[in-house]
Amino acid sequence: MSFEMFVQHLFNALTLGSLYGLVAIGYTMVYGILRLINFAHGDIFMLGAYFVFFGVTLTKIPWGIAIILAVAASAVCGIVIDRIAYRPLRDAPRISALISAIGVSFFIENLSLVIFTGLPKPVYQPEWLVEIISFGNVRILPLALIVPAIAFALVGGLLWVVYRTKPGLAMRSISKDIETTRLMGVSVDKIIALTFGLGSALAAASGIMWALRYPQIHPFMGVFPGFKAFIAAVLGGIGSIQGAMVGGMLLGLIEIMAVAFFPALSGYRDAFAFILLIVILLMKPTGLMGEKLEEKV
Amino acid sequence: MKTKETPRYLVPSLVAVALLALFIWWANSHLDNYKIQVLNLIAINSILALSLNLIYGFTGMFSLGHAGFMAIGAYVSSLLILPQVQKDMIYIIQPLAWPFSVLQAPFFVAVLAGGLAAALLGLLIAIPVLRLGGDYLGIATLGFAEIIRVVFTNLTPVTNGALGLKGIPDYANLWWNFGWCLLTLFFMIRLVNSNFGNVLKAIRDDEVAARAMGINTFKYRVVSFSIGAFFAGIGGALMASLVTTIDPKMFGFLLTFNVLMIVVAGGLGSLTGSILGSAVITVLLEWLRFVENPVDIGSFHLEGIPGMRMVIFSLLLILIILFRREGLMGMRELSWDAILRRFSRGGETR
Amino acid sequence: MSERAPVLETKDVTIRFGGLTAVSNFNIAVPRGGIVGLIGPNGAGKTTCFNIITGFYKPTKGEVLLEGKPITGLPPHKVCEAGIARTFQNIRLFYNETVLQNVMIGGFVRQKSHWWMHPLMIPSCTREEKDLRDRAMALLESVGLDNVADETSNSLPYGAQRRLEIARALATKPKFLLLDEPAAGMNPQESQELMAFIKKIRTDFDLTILLIEHDMKVVMGVCEYIWVLDYRILIAEGNPEQIRSNPRVIEAYLGEEATQNA
């Protein structure tokens, strides 16, 4: 493989990894607080992309505004889902909430199928985003630079919220001990809603950027990225935001590089993530950067 | 609680089986193909629900990998009953690998082989994965099911890859399906009503206490998982023969979701619930077809045209989990005891 | 203390969790057929010792011997198989099962049939299941719960649940029985009955019994020998009189003894 090809693959991996990482953060935050795998998270990713699509084609609002509104709308969706489908089950056995999440995920996917139809929709791509830039023999899309930049900016912003604000402190406190936090007067439900909101916003941003990179959207576009992002979260250490980003990058790298070096394996591309998951769960379930979330016996 | 298997109730049970046989005989000559198809689906879904219920409802292991076991059962069985001519015809990209190209078996053996192959895989998966708890187990088993699916899509010399298998002999009629269903039910009843069955429930209820009472919980979870995988393989094998066409895409998470739905709706931890749930959900799924669009129902529902049907379906699951988590039967069973008590006033108390 | 070989011995058992030493140099030797007690203020490490003996924790140092044979580090189910049964501080019944089923589950460890025998209707298995059921009913009779055999265990009142837990432990045919605060939540009348019950099962089932208990009346009334744990180490051992008048023990319990007069 030529050096130029390698660099191009690297940028691809960076982009893909950033997108996985952004979604992974939402999974890791919710799991850290509620010990719940939010199956519906990948579908927020999809909704973000569709909201932009409809914002632009139906209402003719400027593309940039549409993005902001879409992200906000997705955040609201995440909060609503928690309120309706997860909050009533806070005291139920954990698996109940998980089953509810699975139900919500299927519901959103199929409702989208009914409303948007399964026909993939083309996404508006501003020219400047898809005009190829060249560095010598290396040719990349501007997206390959912008996506990681935005991703890291968003993560930076999130980390600022989590580590430098009171609500962020409350979030961290809840993930350590929810009962004590409640006893200290924190409105736990509001903080949980905030967590869902932030995570969903990031997932929506990721979905929107994904749609710019792979400009065909369809109702099930969030399924595999969702699974893989969750695996990335586990890889990086469930409960750790930085870990989720690291895990996402690593997963993106593995996926792109494995197929780049062994093209015969391209059919198995989707299986890599799952194989990786099994391996991590067996060897180091706490992931690369995570803490033990032990059950008290 | 005495249930259908206690010798005292041998006669009522045999009568019930005879009635079922009579009904099947009648149905074969009097019902149209569509209704027969639905009955076939009910039987097969019952087997699938019973197998998942054993793993999840009775032993407490949240496994999302059922589609993977079904896939194994379906492919192994189909490869054994496909006539040579058909094999030559459908393997157009790469010829079928040896020994599959020469192996043939009668239907009963093929289905059994499907079950055994699935059980073997279940055993292999269980040993590393059952150490994980709760939701991680769900994701890991889901992961394995997806890996199986991807492997089948790529293993063209064996599975014919994405093209799948066509023209599978349709041996799976009412007699075979309900026959296997009765066999499964009998096995499950005997298993669940023995002390071993109590032990599985104990593992579900309080693993720490179970271990303190001398129970090797890991070993028996593996056993339960493998038995569940076996019957899932049987169900998959029968399904393949029923729909005569299979491909890897069929065995995705949606398939597991449907079985999970039946088990939850029927009642986790109730064998009766799984049978009832299967009947109710299968009929509901078919009935819902008319709610959306009249559609040719030659192929079976899970290959499905998605639409309002699934929207209502998933909404139903959410509602059940939110408002009636125990489903139809909870953990209760329908037993001859209970039936007789209802019919004789002031029946004897146990 | 009798000269007979001890049923259970622990030798210098120590356990550390991370940086914290939860129990240090735990040394006891329980004579066959004795009823003995392990007492100490809350948090002293008593249940931790139980968890080590029953295999739930592996000690960092030291040995546990059952009838002279080492069982250190064996998993809990093997420890039970070897002959040690226990009850739990917070009752751990199988709450979705009936009273009878709970006891039968206790009897599983002594069953010879395999899981596949019942579905195949093998006669020896059917017979064994019936015998187990009869034995379980007999055990329920001895604790006075045979009339509620088919009730779900979570419908029983608290005291009955404790008795059921003991019956379940007895079903495992133990040589050595660990009772973790069996008198917790009982009124004086129930405690008296419990004391008589413990003495009775010791004789009827040929047991050696070690109990953790806070109720001093029960401890002094039923234990023949007592070990005292405070802040994770043994501070005293002896018969009830010796313990009652031991200044270190009194000091450890200061405040607690004021409310439970020995």
Side-chain angles (χ1 to χ4, degrees):
Chain A
M1 178 189 306
S2 65
F3 176 72
E4 288 81 13
M5 286 287 294
F6 180 76
V7 171
Q8 270 162 224
H9 283 308
L10 208 58
F11 273 105
N12 259 344
L14 204 61
T15 308
L16 190 62
S18 306
L19 294 173
Y20 283 155
L22 283 176
V23 181
I25 289 177
Y27 279 116
T28 220
M29 285 202 297
V30 167
Y31 194 87
I33 292 194
L34 291 177
R35 306 290 182 267
L36 168 70
I37 302 174
N38 183 7
F39 264 85
H41 191 57
D43 302 299
I44 306 283
F45 170 93
M46 175 266 295
L47 285 180
Y50 267 96
F51 285 153
V52 170
F53 175 82
F54 280 111
V56 164
T57 57
L58 284 185
T59 66
K60 308 295 187 227
I61 41 182
W63 178 73
I65 309 279
I67 289 188
I68 296 178
L69 288 178
V71 168
S74 307
V76 168
C77 284
I79 295 175
V80 166
I81 290 173
D82 169 56
R83 180 64 188 82
I84 298 183
Y86 304 155
R87 196 163 105 180
L89 297 172
R90 293 266 199 268
D91 296 323
R94 260 173 47 203
I95 299 293
S96 299
L98 193 56
I99 296 179
S100 182
I102 296 175
V104 170
S105 173
F106 271 96
F107 178 71
I108 295 178
E109 284 161 14
N110 286 287
L111 193 61
S112 305
L113 196 59
V114 167
I115 297 180
F116 306 143
T117 83
L119 227 48
K121 303 228 183 310
V123 162
Y124 164 67
Q125 294 174 297
E127 278 113 43
W128 52 273
L129 264 184
V130 289
E131 225 177 270
I132 297 182
I133 331 179
S134 312
F135 298 102
N137 277 336
V138 176
R139 296 158 61 205
I140 55 174
L141 295 170
L143 268 178
L145 296 170
I146 293 179
V147 168
I150 295 185
F152 279 103
L154 287 174
V155 176
L158 180 69
L159 286 174
W160 181 82
V161 167
V162 170
Y163 284 101
R164 293 241 184 271
T165 65
K166 263 179 58 192
L169 176 64
M171 279 166 61
R172 280 181 287 141
S173 169
I174 293 179
S175 74
K176 288 277 192 302
D177 187 339
I178 191 169
E179 278 314 314
T180 311
T181 313
R182 204 193 300 266
L183 289 172
M184 301 190 74
V186 172
S187 167
V188 160
D189 284 329
K190 286 219 189 80
I191 301 294
I192 292 179
L194 177 67
T195 310
F196 272 95
L198 290 173
S200 301
L202 288 179
S206 177
I208 294 168
M209 291 195 281
W210 180 287
L212 290 171
R213 177 73 180 79
Y214 308 101
Q216 293 271 324
I217 60 177
H218 61 89
F220 292 95
M221 66 184 269
V223 174
F224 272 101
F227 280 161
K228 291 177 185 176
F230 176 74
I231 294 171
V234 174
L235 174 59
I238 203 95
S240 158
I241 293 177
Q242 302 92 316
M245 210 54 198
V246 167
M249 287 297 176
L250 207 53
L251 186 61
L253 205 66
I254 293 174
E255 245 191 61
I256 300 276
M257 288 309 175
V259 176
F261 281 100
F262 305 104
L265 289 181
S266 68
Y268 290 91
R269 179 172 163 160
D270 286 339
F272 291 150
F274 288 108
I275 295 175
L276 198 61
L277 173 72
I278 307 288
V279 168
I280 311 164
L281 285 180
L282 295 182
M283 289 185 15
K284 194 176 193 306
T286 50
L288 294 171
M289 295 167 67
E291 342 146 336
K292 262 189 182 300
L293 294 175
E294 289 268 349
E295 301 273 1
K296 275 245 148 84
V297 171
Chain B
M1 159 150 72
K2 298 206 181 75
T3 63
K4 305 173 198 176
E5 49 79 29
T6 315
R8 226 167 83 182
Y9 297 120
L10 190 62
V11 171
S13 304
L14 287 178
V15 168
V17 171
L19 283 175
L20 180 65
L22 220 63
F23 172 71
I24 294 177
W25 176 80
W26 175 85
N28 268 329
S29 25
H30 289 86
L31 291 180
D32 61 75
N33 280 337
Y34 174 55
K35 294 210 182 71
I36 291 186
Q37 187 77 341
V38 172
L39 285 173
N40 277 321
L41 284 173
I42 291 178
I44 295 179
N45 280 336
S46 297
I47 298 176
L48 296 172
L50 286 170
S51 62
L52 184 59
N53 208 352
L54 180 69
I55 296 178
Y56 180 28
F58 285 96
T59 320
M61 301 183 283
F62 187 55
S63 163
L64 292 176
H66 236 52
F69 299 129
M70 291 170 67
I72 302 218
Y75 271 90
V76 167
S77 167
S78 301
L79 283 174
L80 287 174
I81 60 176
L82 270 175
Q84 196 60 44
V85 170
Q86 190 68 15
K87 282 179 185 168
D88 294 335
M89 230 174 34
I90 57 180
Y91 278 79
I92 53 181
I93 300 186
Q94 276 182 271
L96 180 54
W98 188 90
F100 301 106
S101 47
V102 293
L103 283 177
Q104 283 271 297
F107 189 48
F108 179 77
V109 174
V111 172
L112 198 62
L116 288 172
L120 186 62
L121 192 83
L123 186 63
L124 290 174
I125 293 180
I127 295 179
V129 148
L130 286 188
R131 293 190 272 125
L132 302 168
D135 29 11
Y136 274 169
L137 177 64
I139 287 282
T141 45
L142 177 58
F144 266 113
E146 285 300 305
I147 292 174
I148 291 174
R149 206 177 50 78
V150 171
V151 166
F152 276 20
T153 312
N154 285 283
L155 216 57
T156 322
V158 175
T159 61
N160 209 20
L163 289 177
L165 304 179
K166 280 201 253 291
I168 304 170
D170 60 348
Y171 299 140
N173 54 25
L174 285 174
W175 293 108
W176 277 115
N177 293 335
F178 275 97
W180 274 108
C181 180
L182 279 179
L183 207 72
T184 310
L185 186 60
F186 175 76
F187 183 92
M188 291 293 176
I189 292 177
R190 294 288 305 181
L191 194 73
V192 156
N193 282 335
S194 68
N195 205 20
F196 179 71
N198 290 334
V199 162
L200 292 182
K201 296 182 225 172
I203 295 176
R204 171 197 66 193
D205 288 350
D206 193 332
E207 201 188 342
V208 167
R211 294 167 76 200
M213 293 300 119
I215 296 168
N216 184 349
T217 57
F218 179 71
K219 169 172 157 192
Y220 294 124
R221 289 166 98 212
V222 171
V223 167
S224 168
F225 193 77
S226 306
I227 297 175
F230 173 78
F231 286 107
I234 301 276
L238 291 172
M239 203 175 72
S241 176
L242 184 70
V243 302
T244 71
T245 305
I246 59 175
D247 64 67
K249 274 206 306 289
M250 264 171 56
F251 296 100
F253 189 36
L254 179 58
L255 190 54
T256 304
F257 174 76
N258 281 329
V259 182
L260 179 67
M261 176 71 169
I262 293 177
V263 172
V264 170
L268 286 164
S270 165
L271 298 176
T272 325
S274 292
I275 307 276
L276 283 180
S278 166
V280 167
I281 297 291
T282 307
V283 168
L284 184 68
L285 268 182
E286 289 305 315
W287 181 76
L288 282 177
R289 279 191 201 272
F290 296 105
V291 170
E292 52 174 41
N293 273 314
V295 149
D296 170 53
I297 321 160
S299 67
F300 98 116
H301 64 284
L302 285 164
E303 213 167 65
I305 298 122
M308 275 314 282
R309 230 174 30 124
M310 285 311 295
V311 173
I312 297 176
F313 206 50
S314 33
L315 195 60
L316 188 61
L317 181 66
I318 300 173
L319 290 175
I320 292 178
I321 277 292
L322 283 176
F323 297 114
R324 198 183 157 89
R325 216 178 304 146
E326 67 270 23
L328 278 172
M329 299 289 297
M331 285 187 189
R332 296 171 312 192
E333 300 283 2
L334 199 60
S335 66
W336 289 121
D337 233 17
I339 295 178
L340 288 176
R341 220 178 296 152
R342 188 151 300 208
F343 281 115
S344 62
R345 304 219 153 189
E348 45 165 306
T349 43
R350 171 58 188 86
Chain C
M1 274 257 282
S2 106
E3 297 299 333
R4 288 169 296 171
V7 161
L8 184 88
E9 271 182 280
T10 67
K11 295 194 163 149
D12 291 329
V13 162
T14 304
I15 188 167
R16 274 187 275 276
F17 295 110
L20 173 71
T21 306
V23 158
S24 177
N25 291 315
F26 183 66
N27 274 295
I28 65 172
V30 184
R32 174 177 301 281
I35 302 178
V36 298
L38 179 63
I39 65 174
N42 280 318
K46 309 186 292 294
T47 302
T48 308
C49 291
F50 263 28
N51 285 337
I52 294 175
I53 294 173
T54 51
F56 281 97
Y57 295 156
K58 195 170 159 144
T60 323
K61 254 185 20 200
E63 278 192 297
V64 182
L65 302 159
L66 180 67
E67 294 187 320
K69 288 198 295 270
I71 59 168
T72 335
L74 280 182
H77 68 270
K78 283 259 180 264
V79 170
C80 179
E81 223 178 295
I84 301 183
R86 71 175 288 181
T87 64
F88 290 89
Q89 191 172 2
N90 308 318
I91 308 178
R92 281 182 174 262
L93 288 174
F94 303 121
Y95 282 117
N96 288 314
E97 308 336 310
T98 65
V99 168
L100 180 63
Q101 282 171 324
N102 268 271
V103 178
M104 285 182 71
I105 292 168
F108 181 77
V109 65
R110 304 294 168 206
Q111 268 185 287
K112 305 252 185 305
S113 315
H114 295 277
W115 58 267
W116 41 266
M117 289 188 175
H118 203 250
L120 292 179
M121 306 194 82
I122 298 191
S124 67
C125 174
T126 325
R127 243 177 292 129
E128 195 187 45
E129 295 263 323
K130 173 162 189 319
D131 290 341
L132 178 60
R133 180 180 292 258
D134 294 338
R135 196 164 73 80
M137 282 302 292
L139 273 173
L140 283 179
E141 254 184 78
S142 67
V143 299
L145 288 174
D146 50 315
N147 53 326
V148 289
D150 286 331
E151 307 280 330
T152 20
S153 54
N154 63 4
S155 65
L156 292 184
Y158 185 76
Q161 285 188 16
R162 284 221 170 269
R163 281 179 293 152
L164 176 57
E165 225 199 352
I166 295 178
R168 183 182 66 179
L170 290 175
T172 69
K173 295 197 179 155
K175 304 176 181 137
F176 188 70
L177 182 62
L178 294 166
L179 300 175
D180 199 339
E181 296 193 37
M186 286 190 177
N187 61 42
Q189 155 93 12
E190 289 171 322
S191 309
Q192 288 278 52
E193 288 167 2
L194 178 72
M195 281 160 51
F197 180 67
I198 292 179
K199 290 194 181 134
K200 183 169 184 296
I201 60 174
R202 183 259 301 265
T203 323
D204 287 353
F205 295 97
D206 195 27
L207 292 173
T208 310
I209 302 178
L210 166 63
L211 45 101
I212 292 176
E213 197 36 76
H214 278 291
D215 184 338
M216 284 306 144
K217 266 219 286 295
V218 172
V219 174
M220 297 301 170
V222 104
C223 295
E224 296 146 2
Y225 200 81
I226 300 168
W227 283 271
V228 187
L229 212 56
D230 188 26
Y231 277 113
R232 307 173 199 111
I233 55 172
L234 285 168
I235 59 170
E237 61 176 275
N239 62 45
E241 277 72 53
Q242 294 168 319
I243 294 297
R244 215 196 305 256
S245 51
N246 184 312
R248 276 196 80 181
V249 175
I250 297 175
E251 188 192 321
Y253 269 105
L254 200 62
E256 288 205 33
E257 229 201 35
T259 48
Q260 333 202 34
N261 52 63

